[in-house]
Amino acid sequence: MKPLDFEKPVAELEQELSKLKKKASSQNIDMSDEIARMEEKLEGTRKRIYEELSPWHRVQIARHTNRPFMLDYVEHVFEDFCELHGDRHIGDDSAMPGGFATLGGKKVVVIGHQKGRDTKENLLRNFGSAHPEGYRKSMRLMRLAEKFNLPVVALVDTPGAFPGIGAEERNIAEAIAFNLREMMTLKVPTVTVVLGEGGSGGALGIGVTDRVLMMENAYYSVISPEGCAAILWKHRKHAPEAAEAMKISAPDLGELGLIDEVVPEPIGGAHHDHEEAARNLRDAVLKQIEQLEQLSSEELLQQRYEKYRKYGEWQGE
């Protein structure tokens, strides 16, 4: 696994530790003291780096190709996943899988953005950027969830909705706007988790829910840091400054009250331990669903309305 730039001190110490252990084993030498000191140094370096992550560092982690994607979480967290296809208008969108599943014994509908790890898979999944038919399919599945009184779990991981000519011709803005309106009226519990990238309307298109959670190293923003830097500073090199200023990381959004919970990741990020990240996500989503299931449909709708009415409030001195 290729380390990110800021992770290189950790990677170098890991290599040195590996060499020490190999030398001790191959030459049958007692190097326990040296190994212990190296392990202590490694742990200290790892703790120092990962406890002081900047928003830009978190953006880099959020985009790591070894992070667990939507279908990885479906495999580790959900059971009996039955994928459904098609929007009943144009066709299917592989960038937005979804279907029925069980979570902790509860029947749910799960939808989300799926990226790829190589060129072939990225072409299939359109780099996680859904077309209009993806958003229309997601709403079809949400309505099925409402029909059968099932909670909806949305797993967001997209740089944004697909901006191509075909998507514009098939009215992607209307597809997302329709979802925004209709999600406000769903009479079943709804939970969103931002897994990695939460880009603009592409993320909101399945993210207007009762509870919005974020993985610890995810980001949620109206524009990418590079896009913001290109507009304000006329150069992408200012992306780290933009990421800091925009308050797009999970800790910042939690403090602002724009998300409901930050889901912890393994030290260094979810790409270091898929199973631990999946357990944390499972526990967080189940907790939220169990709380929401205590509410009536009327209470759900009222709380959801009040939640989003509070966004953007301003109070003068």
Side-chain angles (χ1 to χ4, degrees), residues 154-157 192-198 212-215 218-220:
L155 303 178
V156 170
D157 192 8
T192 292
V193 185
V194 183
L195 304 179
E197 293 188 279
V212 179
L213 285 56
M214 284 181 69
M215 299 301 292
Y219 79 88
Y220 202 11

Side-chain angles (χ1 to χ4, degrees), residues 106-156:
K106 297 178 182 292
K107 295 179 181 178
V108 300
V109 164
V110 57
I111 54 177
H113 304 96
Q114 174 65 21
K115 295 179 177 178
R117 288 200 168 86
D118 55 35
T119 302
K120 183 178 179 181
E121 191 178 1
N122 267 318
L123 290 174
L124 172 66
R125 303 294 181 181
N126 204 36
F127 297 86
S129 294
H131 292 81
E133 45 270 31
Y135 291 99
R136 293 184 176 120
K137 175 173 69 173
S138 70
M139 181 47 61
R140 182 173 76 85
L141 298 185
M142 290 185 217
R143 286 301 181 195
L144 277 177
E146 186 178 51
K147 178 179 180 180
F148 295 113
N149 197 31
L150 303 177
V152 174
V153 180
L155 303 178
V156 170

Side-chain angles (χ1 to χ4, degrees), residues 64-234:
H64 202 292
T65 55
N66 287 324
R67 267 181 88 80
F69 294 151
M70 181 263 187
L71 290 177
D72 296 316
Y73 281 109
V74 168
E75 180 182 352
H76 290 298
V77 175
F78 299 86
E79 298 176 345
D80 307 318
F81 178 58
C82 176
E83 186 173 357
L84 301 179
H85 298 272
D87 68 342
R88 301 298 186 264
H89 292 281
I90 298 293
D92 192 37
D93 187 354
S94 295
M96 183 84 79
F100 294 110
T102 57
L103 173 64
K106 297 178 182 292
K107 295 179 181 178
V108 300
V109 164
V110 57
I111 54 177
H113 304 96
Q114 174 65 21
K115 295 179 177 178
R117 288 200 168 86
D118 55 35
T119 302
K120 183 178 179 181
E121 191 178 1
N122 267 318
L123 290 174
L124 172 66
R125 303 294 181 181
N126 204 36
F127 297 86
S129 294
H131 292 81
E133 45 270 31
Y135 291 99
R136 293 184 176 120
K137 175 173 69 173
S138 70
M139 181 47 61
R140 182 173 76 85
L141 298 185
M142 290 185 217
R143 286 301 181 195
L144 277 177
E146 186 178 51
K147 178 179 180 180
F148 295 113
N149 197 31
L150 303 177
V152 174
V153 180
L155 303 178
V156 170
D157 192 8
T158 180
F162 186 57
I165 293 174
E168 293 293 342
E169 288 175 342
R170 299 193 298 280
N171 210 344
I172 192 159
E174 184 275 339
I176 291 174
F178 182 83
N179 277 20
L180 301 184
R181 185 188 71 187
E182 294 300 301
M183 279 185 286
M184 289 297 296
T185 69
L186 292 172
K187 296 178 180 178
V188 293
T190 55
V191 178
T192 292
V193 185
V194 183
L195 304 179
E197 293 188 279
S200 193
L204 280 178
I206 59 170
V208 180
T209 53
D210 295 305
R211 298 287 187 271
V212 179
L213 285 56
M214 284 181 69
M215 299 301 292
E216 183 181 354
N217 293 306
Y219 79 88
Y220 202 11
S221 174
V222 69
I223 192 172
S224 70
E226 294 92 337
C228 177
I231 293 170
L232 296 183
W233 285 279
K234 310 303 180 187

